[in-house]
Amino acid sequence: MTVSASEVDLIGRLLRGIRERRIPLGISKKWRRAPHRSVLWRLARHLYAQPSDFFKQFGLFPLPVQSVSYEQFRCFQFEAVRPFSVSDVPKSIHPPKDWIAWTSELPEPLRGHTIPSCHTALIPNGYADARGNVFSEEGCLVLGASLAVRNHVDDYYVPQRVWPPVYKAKRIGVLTSSLQGAYYHWLVEVLPRIHMLRGQRLSTSPLFVQAKHRFQKETLALLGLSSPQLINSEDYEFVSAEEVVVPFHAIGARTQYPRWVCDFLRGAFWPAAIREKATDSVTRLYVSRDDAQWRRVTNEAEVLQILEPLGFRRITLGQSSFLEQVRLFHDAKVVVAPHGAALSNLVFCQPQTKVIEFQQLKLDSCFFRLSRSVGLDHYYIRSSTGPANPTDNRQQVTIDRTELRRTLQLAGVR
């Protein structure tokens, strides 16, 4: 009897689910529809004054979600986040109206989940999970403290695992986010929250944060945070404390990147990267996504035929250390790259660096806004092929050679 590769993969996923005590999706949906009918819910009502007390101890069953504002708790304001002008457009051979029309169709931030403020909330007897959800003592989702950007709570909260481990402490800082495993979101959403705690003299130990990927471990170490000071969200799905300290800032669609975020990242990592400066400094970078699943340049060989004679060096960042990436972008005078996480490193570029971003038919203002915040000269080229779906950011990119030459000429790159 032979077993196909797909069957092996399915068996592997089932075994991992059993080993990690993952709640099957079907059961999760059923619980979400009718939690009050579950045996666990009735048992919790019998044993505890309210089911949220049982949930806080064990994280074991659906919690009905009622939201409360962070303003109901003790909080410290840090800085406001200002809207970004939709009339502000990058330089391009494409008409400005194209950029304005497409970026205006991007979905608004989830209503109630993005607060235009930077602040730190102190939640008494609260608890939080590994995906960025923060709950009050009564089991209410705290808006303006919860950083669950995706897979956000709708009506009922369902944990990912059966009987998930809960870490209890007297006081704990929460830095988790649903997108913390992505390089961009880690850099501009998670790490600045450490600076907020320190700047407001609210430094607290331990910190609940993910320490799974290489870039996470490297950046935390560079910030002076070692394992004894951290509670890894890979080990605990929930934390519970007498006081949960949550720094929060909103960088969403149509908002500027706060200047303090950029200054913090550059100040924290520039010095260490410069000390490790290589002898063969590269000033013209072409960042390839050949090792990624989507937003790859389908005609990359043709693109390189144009770029390499101009002194560009092709690099992929998948195996580079964090400091190597900082150094590469710090030294660069011109960066050409398809839209993707690698462009988060634009924050480490020096002012007036030229950036040419390859966009899909679905445009995204994310890195243009970042470029404006640190004084870069930003251009974009739109893919010549692909479905014009404003919600799909997983398309591949094809760059017209004539448009690339015209853009290089517009940017003064010869």
Side-chain angles (χ1 to χ4, degrees), residues 93-94 381-382 400-408:
I93 60 172
H94 304 296
I381 306 175
R382 195 171 179 181
D400 182 272
R401 288 175 293 176
T402 301
E403 292 183 348
L404 175 57
R405 290 191 181 95
R406 289 175 58 198
T407 302
L408 290 167

Side-chain angles (χ1 to χ4, degrees), residues 37-57:
R37 299 177 185 174
S38 69
V39 174
L40 285 173
W41 188 272
R42 291 197 296 269
L43 178 63
R45 291 294 293 178
H46 178 73
L47 296 175
Y48 290 82
Q50 52 188 9
S52 60
D53 293 333
F54 191 77
F55 178 88
K56 183 160 57 175
Q57 290 291 325

Side-chain angles (χ1 to χ4, degrees), residues 187-188 191-192 195 222-223 257-275 322-323 326-327 329-332 343-353 355 369-377:
L187 207 61
V188 302
L191 292 186
H195 175 68
L222 287 166
L223 291 173
Y257 288 82
R259 184 70 195 184
W260 67 264
V261 170
C262 302
D263 290 343
F264 158 67
L265 292 172
R266 291 149 79 103
F269 302 122
W270 258 0
I274 293 172
R275 283 196 297 270
F322 174 72
L323 285 182
V326 175
R327 178 179 54 78
F329 280 76
H330 173 270
D331 293 346
L343 286 177
S344 310
N345 291 308
L346 291 177
V347 71
F348 301 118
C349 286
Q350 299 185 63
Q352 304 307 313
T353 298
V355 180
R369 290 183 283 116
L370 181 57
S371 290
R372 289 302 303 269
S373 295
V374 293
L376 310 185
D377 192 14

Side-chain angles (χ1 to χ4, degrees), residues 6 72 79 89 108 130 150 154 174-175 189 195 200 218 230 245 258 265 302 310 318 324 334 341 368 380:
S6 61
Q72 297 188 19
E79 187 177 321
V89 301
E108 292 284 354
R150 293 180 186 164
D154 293 315
V174 173
L175 304 177
E189 290 176 0
H195 175 68
Q200 293 175 313
E218 289 177 344
L230 306 174
V245 182
L265 292 172
E302 296 177 353
L310 297 176
E324 287 172 344
V334 186
F368 169 56
Y380 85 94

